[in-house]
Amino acid sequence: MKPRVLVVEDEAPLAAMLRYNLEKEGFEVEEAANGEEALTKIAERKPDAVLLDWMLPLVSGIEVCRQLRRSPATRGLPVIMLTARGEEADRVRGLDSGADDYVVKPFSPTELVARLRAVIRRAQPAAGAETLRFADLTMDLGAHRVTRNGRAIHLGPTEYRLLKFFLEHQGRVFSREQLLDAVWGHDVYVEPRTVDVHIRRLRKALNAPGERDLVRTVRSAGYALDVED
Ligand code: CA
């Protein structure tokens, strides 16, 4: 079945260009010209991914993204933000709002398609797979069991959810705020520093003496499930 993409873009020529390129690459394309229409269309029929323009009339792309992340039905829906802005601060704001990726205009259609395929692929293991793996680490979702190199790992509920989230998005760097939203949820207020505490516990549980650290700290950016080269 063709992957369905909702293109949310108010500039008709750009929307037409996106439709042309995506259909050529085998995607089924839906369009929305503003945030309200996007939210309505997503509620009616959830697409496999959303290409969301930052600058939209009425409801901004950032706000649309926040609303999608707030609802359990659309929390895992892959979103790529499209924007004319390229500032690092804007990039962080875009990702903080819950976007999975970020593409700056003007962009190459080939790159956009590659990123789109990547976010759709990343979103899939959460639904189907029973076992998540990374390096010598295994998480059996059915049995709620984690092992590393055959050794049983005992995790608290928060560390378990944190690790599951990392396993579903391997190699990607998440800010403390993003981890809070994804693992703790939007409705609870937790100090960003709390994330550091749980990351420390997770590391302690995962890494036996002499083993590689599977959690990478990225200075001023956040954390990733990754190994240093
Ligand atoms: Ca626009």
Side-chain angles (χ1 to χ4, degrees), residues 8-11 14 33 53-57 82 105:
V8 190
E9 170 61 75
D10 57 313
E11 288 153 73
L14 187 51
D53 187 29
W54 179 304
M55 299 295 276
L56 291 170
L82 298 177
K105 296 177 191 173

Side-chain angles (χ1 to χ4, degrees), residues 79-90:
V79 176
I80 295 185
M81 294 281 287
L82 298 177
T83 178
R85 310 173 182 214
E87 298 287 322
E88 183 65 15
D90 287 332

Side-chain angles (χ1 to χ4, degrees), residues 91-93 95-98 162 165-166 172-184 192 195-196 199 218 220-224:
R91 205 182 74 83
V92 171
R93 255 187 80 204
L95 294 176
D96 270 348
S97 73
L162 196 55
F165 182 73
F166 276 134
R172 253 196 71 190
V173 180
F174 293 96
S175 68
R176 290 171 180 79
E177 288 73 17
Q178 285 176 304
L179 290 172
L180 282 176
D181 281 349
V183 177
W184 279 258
V195 175
D196 300 339
I199 290 280
V218 183
S220 80
Y223 298 101

Side-chain angles (χ1 to χ4, degrees), residues 18-94:
L18 286 166
R19 173 186 281 280
Y20 171 79
N21 282 289
L22 293 174
E23 284 180 345
K24 202 173 62 165
E25 292 292 333
F27 291 90
E28 190 186 325
V29 178
E30 277 280 326
E31 283 180 43
N34 61 60
E36 296 265 353
E37 193 187 342
L39 291 168
T40 307
K41 287 205 165 166
I42 292 166
E44 280 168 2
R45 193 175 165 211
K46 198 161 84 169
D48 294 301
V50 180
L51 278 183
L52 183 58
D53 187 29
W54 179 304
M55 299 295 276
L56 291 170
L58 309 174
V59 188
S60 78
I62 291 256
E63 186 49 35
V64 170
C65 196
R66 287 214 180 96
Q67 291 196 28
L68 290 175
R69 289 304 176 249
R70 236 173 264 144
S71 156
T74 52
R75 191 164 281 171
L77 180 60
V79 176
I80 295 185
M81 294 281 287
L82 298 177
T83 178
R85 310 173 182 214
E87 298 287 322
E88 183 65 15
D90 287 332
R91 205 182 74 83
V92 171
R93 255 187 80 204

Side-chain angles (χ1 to χ4, degrees), residues 1 8 13 15 36 105 116 126-127 130 135 160 164 178 200 202 207-208 216 219 225:
M1 224 164 58
V8 190
E36 296 265 353
K105 296 177 191 173
L116 202 49
E130 285 296 301
Y160 184 90
K164 179 167 179 275
Q178 285 176 304
R200 230 171 9 244
L202 182 61
N207 306 327
R216 187 159 68 96
R219 207 163 290 281
L225 185 70

